[in-house]
Every structure is written in structure tokens, then in C-alpha cells.
Amino acid sequence: CPRLTTDFIGHSIHYYTTVSSTNNEAKRLANEGCPEGTIVLAEEQKVGRGRLARGWFSPFAKGIWLSVVLRPKFPPQEAPKCTLLAAVAMARAVRATGVNCGIKWPNDILYNGKKLVGILTEMNAEMDAINYVVIGMGINVNTDASEFPEELRDIATSLSSVLGRTVSRTDLLIALLHELELLYTQAGEEGFSPILAEWRKLSATLGQPVDVFGITRCFSGIALDIDEDGALIVQTEAGLEKVIAGDVSVRAK
Ligand code: BTN
């Protein structure tokens, strides 16, 4: 039976049966000065939040609805790299269950084009220093295909649907927290380059034709690479475009 043997991530656990959003709780705790590595877990979220002001379907006891508080020493502009780091940690933990997942830029974990995991990173910085980064992660573990709301059925899936068996949420959580701590410690000691290199290998986006729905405009092209800040570089007819935020859909060939 696996045990949590991390040095700091998950040493303080705030567990809820029901919560509005674990990210909201984590931000409240972080503002009150909770230690780095504090995690918030819930069986169910009433108002689970996704990127770009979307919701996140979080049914009771079916998934891992988790937020982790980090207090990195690097400058605020490097915080987006925490999201890529979390995606790599997540891909490692999910792959260890036997699901051959990929990462869609910036941080969705997909299987066969359907979403298994979503990540929502929120930051609080003052002056030139990060106060905290909250990494919110939602993993569809044992959700039945029929349980997803109609509008999600074609775009979401769960580990149990892919594997045809239920998956231990505890084992998966422990594996994830270990991978997160390993990568976060590595980033602090050696920088992000090895993590970005692993992200590239796990990517389901690079080399693909993509439609980009940016904050201010939309365009199409080929996803070429990510730069050292984690921005997506897209080759368009007009030249190279850098995508810092927004949504990308990989076009069917
Ligand atoms: C996305 O894909 O748009 C991101 C989804 C993030 C969902 C997780 S579930 C735990 C944490 N709490 C939230 O309210 N959201 C994140």
C-alpha cells in the first residue's frame, strides 16, 4: 500500500466533503499564510472552475479535485512554467496507471483527443515577488461515460473508461504529489529546461495543424514548439506567432 513520503507537498491536507472550489479554498489559506505544499482536496465541488471562465464538472467521489499551494522563489513572469511542470507531473502519474496520455498546450491531459485532466493555475504576486501560486488539478478518475453532462460526452473521458476498471484515487494522488515535488525541486535546482524538454516529448500539440483562439484574435497554423517561457510558437502563412494565453484546438487532418 503506497505511502506519502514527500518532504513538504501534502504535509498539510485540508479535506472537504463538499466545497465551492478547491482553488478558492487554497487561495484563502495561502492569503492567511499557510505553508508551501499545503493541499486542498474535496470529494465534490459545487462551483468547480476551469480556464477561460469555464466550469469544471466535479461529481462526488468520482475524481481527484485538488489544489496545491506553492511559494516559488522565481520571478512572477516565470509562474506559467509551473503549469507546464504540473502537466508533466500529471502525465507521468497518469501514464503509470497504464493510460498512454498526451499533453495539449498548455496543460490539458488528453487520451484520444478527449480530456482526462484539466489544470488551472492562479497566482498572487506583489512588487516583483510571487506570494503564492495555486495549482488546481481536476482528474476524471472513475466517472462513468454516461455520468458526464451531454455537452461534455464528446470531449471528456475518465481513466476508468479508458482502462475498463476502477482506479484507486489514493494511489494516483500519492504518485502525483511525488512527481510534483520531484519536478518542483528539480526546477529550483536546475531550472526548467529538462522539464520543458519532457513536456515537448509528451505533447499532443506540437507538429499538428492548430486553430488558435487567442484573447484578442483567432488564427490557424502549425504548432512548432514552445519557447523558454512556455509560450506556443505557431507557424502561420504570415510568419511566426507566439501564443501566451488562450485556447488551441488541434485540427483533424
Ligand atoms: C480547465 O481545463 O479548464 C481547468 C480545470 C481545472 C479544474 C480543477 S478541479 C480542482 C481545482 N478547483 C477548481 O475550481 N478548478 C481546479
Side-chain angles (χ1 to χ4, degrees):
C1 146
R3 295 173 54 221
L4 187 65
T5 54
T6 49
D7 285 335
F8 66 100
I9 293 187
H11 280 210
S12 169
I13 300 179
H14 293 252
Y15 168 82
Y16 298 86
T17 320
T18 300
V19 80
S20 63
S21 148
T22 57
N23 264 32
N24 294 355
E25 276 312 302
K27 288 197 288 183
R28 188 181 60 74
L29 292 163
N31 279 319
E32 288 172 1
C34 74
E36 176 166 56
T38 296
I39 68 170
V40 179
L41 269 175
E43 294 292 354
E44 171 186 51
Q45 298 186 112
K46 289 297 185 197
V47 202
R49 294 188 291 112
R51 289 177 63 238
L52 309 172
R54 295 183 189 126
W56 182 258
F57 178 59
S58 321
F60 189 84
K62 295 290 177 171
I64 296 177
W65 323 128
L66 162 75
S67 301
V68 180
V69 177
L70 297 177
R71 299 188 184 278
K73 302 279 177 291
F74 45 74
Q77 56 273 23
E78 293 194 19
K81 287 191 271 194
C82 282
T83 308
L84 300 182
L85 182 157
V88 171
M90 187 65 88
R92 285 186 183 178
V94 165
R95 280 175 168 238
T97 69
V99 174
N100 194 16
C101 61
I103 307 175
K104 192 188 96 170
W105 185 88
N107 51 23
D108 291 348
I109 305 288
L110 304 184
Y111 178 80
N112 254 350
K114 289 188 176 184
K115 194 149 154 175
L116 286 165
V117 176
I119 302 177
L120 174 66
T121 309
E122 298 184 273
M123 178 181 64
N124 177 289
E126 270 158 50
M127 311 290 271
D128 271 344
I130 294 176
N131 179 10
Y132 62 79
V133 173
V134 164
I135 304 181
M137 290 167 272
I139 317 177
N140 300 324
V141 183
N142 293 319
T143 319
D144 235 48
S146 60
E147 286 173 304
F148 283 109
E150 193 73 43
E151 67 275 15
L152 296 182
R153 287 202 191 144
D154 290 341
I155 55 172
T157 189
S158 64
L159 294 175
S160 64
S161 307
V162 175
L163 292 169
R165 63 171 174 89
T166 55
V167 171
S168 159
R169 289 184 302 154
T170 313
D171 292 358
L172 180 56
L173 175 67
I174 289 173
L176 172 65
L177 297 181
H178 278 125
E179 296 296 356
L180 261 181
E181 186 171 287
L182 215 65
L183 289 170
Y184 183 63
T185 307
Q186 183 187 24
E189 285 166 5
E190 300 168 35
F192 278 90
S193 300
I195 295 164
L196 295 184
E198 189 171 343
W199 190 97
R200 288 185 181 95
K201 283 196 198 132
L202 291 163
S203 166
T205 308
L206 299 184
Q208 303 290 324
V210 289
D211 295 320
V212 178
F213 306 94
I215 302 295
T216 51
R217 61 202 188 88
C218 305
F219 54 89
S220 301
I222 306 284
L224 281 190
D225 200 1
I226 47 168
D227 71 8
E228 66 284 0
D229 296 324
L232 186 69
I233 311 293
V234 179
Q235 174 81 63
T236 72
E237 277 175 7
L240 292 182
E241 294 274 359
K242 193 158 134 172
V243 191
I244 295 163
D247 225 2
V248 160
S249 77
V250 177
R251 222 178 315 139
K253 279 187 237 173

